[in-house]
Amino acid sequence: MPSTVISAGLVVMWSSGFIGAELGTRHSPAATLLSWRFLVASTLLCAAWLLLRRRRRGGPLPRRALAEQAAIGLLSQGVYLGSVVWAADLGVPAGTSALIAALQPLAAGALAGRLLGERVSRRQWAGLAIGLLGVALVVRGDLGSAGSAPSWAYALPFLGMAGLLTASFLERRARHPLPASDTLPLHCLVSAVVFTAAAAALGQLRPPAEGGFWLAVAWVFVLSTLGGYGFYWLSLRHNGVTRTSALMYLTPPTTTLWAYAMFGAAPGAEALAGMAVCVAGVLTATAKEPQSRAGRYPEHDRNDSRLQPSAVSAPCGGGCDRTLEARRLRAAPELRGKGPLG
């Protein structure tokens, strides 16, 4: 799939989660929506996974891989979604949560070089800073309307951001990586267990009989779970942590436009200006720069399957490649006198 398609799909599908939350919480508490969202998702995805595994006759998944992906799913869906939706339930404005979540690109950019060996250029840093300014302009109006939320509730969006960021780094450093067709059902199953237990403990597990609630469940399952997280992990593997995180800057302005189309919440002039700044920041941060093989970080190469040497090439000093022919030429003097004519 082309990188541009993955990037556009990530922005649109990830934004759909905020719209689905607005639709669902109009008919039920947040815990009810989250539990039934993942109960439906885990049932359908696990059934499809079992069917595909039977057709392919695949063996059991490694236990270490299952443990890694269970932790990633708990962080990326359980911690992130639970924190953000819980904060909204307590009265934290959606714009404030969006702004806090938009700090993830700067945190990812600061840590990617140390943890993953990814090179963060000055252009990317500039794009990340411009994007943060744009997000601040988009949600500036929401920052002043704190509502009746308790002060500790504002720590929840930070917790959600940290959970998603940690999951991103764990996925890139996973020792037993699995394809998205294996990881997404497992992530949803782990989230279903967590949110169902929470909803049962709160006495909010019974779903309402309204059709609007089930429409919201279908919305968040198809667009947000399949589309949002599917494109998110695809983007991580194709674009890396820094570029994927920079694309998240487009989520608040895209959600604003979507909310205007569906709910009539018209954005102001300041929000429109912020959207333009967000686009400029993302274009700056995600622009490809010419880079030789010598400029890559060795640590990043070892953790990126796309940069692993093939069976007929091996990396050598100075960023060059020793091809099979080069190795034959190097070994030729050692074979003199040992052949059938020697």
Side-chain angles (χ1 to χ4, degrees):
M1 187 179 297
S3 178
T4 54
V5 176
I6 295 176
S7 301
L10 171 63
V11 172
V12 173
M13 295 301 178
W14 196 269
S15 301
S16 70
F18 296 94
I19 304 299
E22 174 68 19
L23 291 172
T25 51
R26 291 183 175 187
H27 304 280
S28 69
T32 308
L33 175 65
L34 288 171
S35 62
W36 283 99
R37 166 185 178 170
F38 286 106
L39 282 173
V40 172
S42 60
T43 300
L44 296 178
L45 289 178
C46 288
W49 180 83
L50 289 174
L51 180 61
L52 290 176
R53 295 288 291 184
R54 287 182 179 180
R55 289 183 177 181
R56 297 175 182 176
R57 298 181 180 179
L61 297 176
R63 293 184 178 181
R64 293 184 178 180
L66 292 176
E68 285 181 346
Q69 294 302 322
I72 292 172
L74 181 61
L75 290 168
S76 64
Q77 295 189 0
V79 175
Y80 175 72
L81 289 176
S83 299
V84 171
V85 176
W86 188 15
D89 233 9
L90 292 171
V92 177
T96 304
S97 296
L99 178 61
I100 296 173
L103 297 175
Q104 180 196 351
L106 290 178
L111 297 175
R114 293 178 177 270
L115 298 181
L116 300 180
E118 289 192 7
R119 177 176 176 268
V120 184
S121 65
R122 293 182 179 179
R123 178 184 295 180
Q124 287 177 315
W125 278 116
L128 295 174
I130 294 172
L132 183 60
L133 175 61
V135 172
L137 290 174
V138 171
V139 301
R140 182 177 179 181
D142 293 334
L143 291 176
S145 57
S148 58
S151 58
W152 60 267
Y154 289 88
L156 293 175
F158 284 100
L159 177 62
M161 177 202 64
L164 184 59
L165 183 62
T166 304
S168 301
F169 284 123
L170 288 179
E171 198 279 336
R172 293 286 286 175
R173 296 297 297 269
R175 296 184 177 181
H176 305 277
L178 297 175
S181 58
D182 291 332
T183 58
L184 192 56
L186 179 59
H187 293 176
C188 291
L189 181 60
V190 172
S191 301
V193 172
V194 172
F195 288 125
T196 301
L202 295 173
Q204 299 175 351
L205 185 57
R206 178 178 295 180
E210 302 176 15
F213 171 79
W214 294 108
L215 175 62
V217 170
W219 176 287
V220 293
F221 167 63
V222 176
L223 298 181
S224 306
T225 301
L226 293 181
Y229 280 95
F231 277 106
Y232 183 78
W233 298 120
L234 279 176
S235 182
L236 278 179
R237 295 181 180 182
H238 285 265
N239 299 328
V241 172
T242 305
R243 294 189 65 198
T244 298
S245 299
L247 288 169
M248 302 300 284
Y249 276 135
L250 290 179
T251 300
T254 303
T255 305
T256 301
L257 292 176
W258 209 336
Y260 171 66
M262 294 188 64
F263 308 126
E270 194 173 32
L272 293 175
M275 294 177 197
V277 175
C278 283
V279 173
V282 171
L283 291 177
T284 301
T286 59
K288 292 184 178 180
E289 297 181 3
Q291 183 178 336
S292 64
R293 190 178 180 90
R296 295 182 180 139
Y297 281 39
E299 185 66 25
H300 175 62
D301 286 1
R302 286 196 295 269
N303 289 283
D304 194 335
S305 59
R306 296 171 298 157
L307 302 179
Q308 293 293 339
S310 63
V312 295
S313 66
C316 63
C320 63
D321 284 340
R322 287 197 184 102
T323 61
L324 184 60
E325 185 64 26
R327 278 184 278 174
R328 287 175 177 172
L329 293 175
R330 185 186 63 175
E334 301 175 0
L335 299 176
R336 289 175 183 172
K338 299 180 181 180
L341 299 179

